[in-house]
């Protein structure tokens, strides 16, 4: 059962996440307390500093937006698995919540570099490690032949999967490509990737 203290903490995190995304790191703790409908003292009782609160928000959003680890248990052929994976990966990154979390981390990268590091560890790094583990298993099972470390191969595929649509989205723009065109692009990325590491 959720305690009253935990409920207050979740109210604060929800309010802070919204305001950090809307106003950036400059939002005041007073505004966060008002949005959360708690006292400023309650905010500080749970989070000693604004850095601590921002750090917790970034971690929570990254965990919420992570892809699950079902990739490692998928027994279908590698081309089907990877094509579905990159579609889910890009779709996740295109969600408004993921875009806002990314922008919030980037906006503080110079003044609070440790927060950008938190974002990288909880988001991109976790996804890369999961994909790398899958690729290493496929290599060990002689399905593909990696010529570089699995981590590097995973990064290659993930960067290709970002595509034009994601870069435009992070700048608040939309592209004219249809969903079918974008799907074709992602599937071609996987085909090229597998051709490069075919046995």
């Amino acid at each position: 059962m959720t305690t009253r203290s935990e409920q207050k903490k979740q109210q604060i995190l929800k309010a802070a996440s919204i305001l950090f995304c809307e106003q950036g790191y400059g939002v005041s703790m007073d505004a966060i307390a008002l949005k959360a409908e708690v006292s400023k003292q309650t905010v500080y009782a749970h989070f000693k500093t604004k850095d601590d609160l921002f750090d917790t928000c970034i971690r929570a959003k990254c965990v919420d937006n992570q892809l699950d680890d079902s990739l490692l248990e998928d027994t279908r052929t590698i081309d089907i698995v990877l094509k579905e994976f990159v579609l889910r990966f890009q779709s996740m990154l295109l969600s408004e919540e993921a875009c806002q979390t990314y922008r919030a981390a980037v906006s503080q990268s110079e003044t609070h570099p440790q927060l950008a590091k938190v974002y990288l560890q909880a988001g991109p790094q976790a996804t890369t490690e999961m994909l790398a583990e899958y690729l290493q298993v496929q290599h060990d099972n002689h399905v593909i032949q990696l010529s570089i470390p699995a981590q590097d191969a995973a990064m290659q595929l993930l960067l290709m999967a970002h595509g034009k649509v994601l870069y435009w989205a992070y700048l608040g723009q939309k592209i004219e490509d249809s969903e079918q065109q974008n799907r074709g692009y992602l599937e071609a990325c996987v085909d090229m990737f597998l051709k490069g590491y075919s046995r």
Side-chain angles (χ1 to χ4, degrees):
M1 188 173 182
T2 305
T3 65
R4 183 174 176 81
S5 176
E6 183 60 27
Q7 288 178 337
K8 294 289 186 183
K9 182 178 181 179
Q10 293 306 314
Q11 285 176 224
I12 295 166
L13 280 173
K14 183 177 180 180
S17 294
I18 293 171
L19 292 177
F20 279 137
C21 288
E22 290 178 350
Q23 303 177 30
Y25 188 77
V27 66
S28 70
M29 293 293 260
D30 287 309
I32 292 172
L34 183 64
K35 180 79 172 176
E37 299 181 343
V38 299
S39 68
K40 188 175 180 180
Q41 289 74 19
T42 300
V43 175
Y44 281 111
H46 288 283
F47 304 97
K48 294 181 180 179
T49 65
K50 186 161 68 169
D51 277 3
D52 184 28
L53 177 54
F54 188 80
D55 180 296
T56 305
C57 285
I58 291 292
R59 288 182 187 275
K61 291 297 184 185
C62 286
V63 170
D64 288 344
N65 289 322
Q66 277 181 2
L67 296 171
D68 59 47
D69 60 2
S70 60
L71 174 73
L72 305 177
E73 302 168 0
D74 202 321
T75 59
R76 294 175 297 172
T77 59
I78 189 172
D79 61 319
I80 293 175
V81 172
L82 291 183
K83 285 175 181 178
E84 184 177 293
F85 179 80
V86 295
L87 281 167
R88 287 193 296 132
F89 172 70
Q90 190 189 76
S91 178
M92 179 270 292
L93 291 181
L94 284 171
S95 70
E96 185 59 30
E97 192 171 64
C99 287
Q100 289 177 341
T101 303
Y102 170 79
R103 291 179 190 131
V106 170
S107 69
Q108 300 305 313
S109 60
E110 291 187 8
T111 55
H112 296 78
Q114 73 278 11
L115 298 179
K117 187 175 181 180
V118 165
Y119 171 83
L120 286 172
Q121 290 176 337
Q125 186 171 321
T127 302
T128 304
E129 289 175 354
M130 178 172 61
L131 179 57
E133 186 176 347
Y134 173 80
L135 294 175
Q136 186 62 54
V137 169
Q138 299 304 307
H139 172 82
D140 294 342
N141 289 336
H142 308 292
V143 176
I144 56 175
Q145 185 171 353
L146 298 176
S147 57
I148 59 176
Q151 282 271 353
D152 292 340
M155 183 58 71
Q156 283 181 332
L157 183 57
L158 291 177
L159 287 177
M160 284 194 293
H162 277 66
K164 177 182 177 181
V165 63
L166 190 64
Y167 289 112
W168 263 239
Y170 280 168
L171 292 172
Q173 305 297 312
K174 291 184 178 181
I175 63 171
E176 296 179 358
D177 293 357
S178 67
E179 183 177 335
Q180 184 176 1
Q181 286 175 307
N182 186 56
R183 185 185 186 97
Y185 163 78
L186 290 173
E187 291 183 349
C189 287
V190 173
D191 289 338
M192 182 169 64
F193 178 82
L194 292 177
K195 184 177 181 180
Y197 294 117
S198 62
R199 297 195 67 83

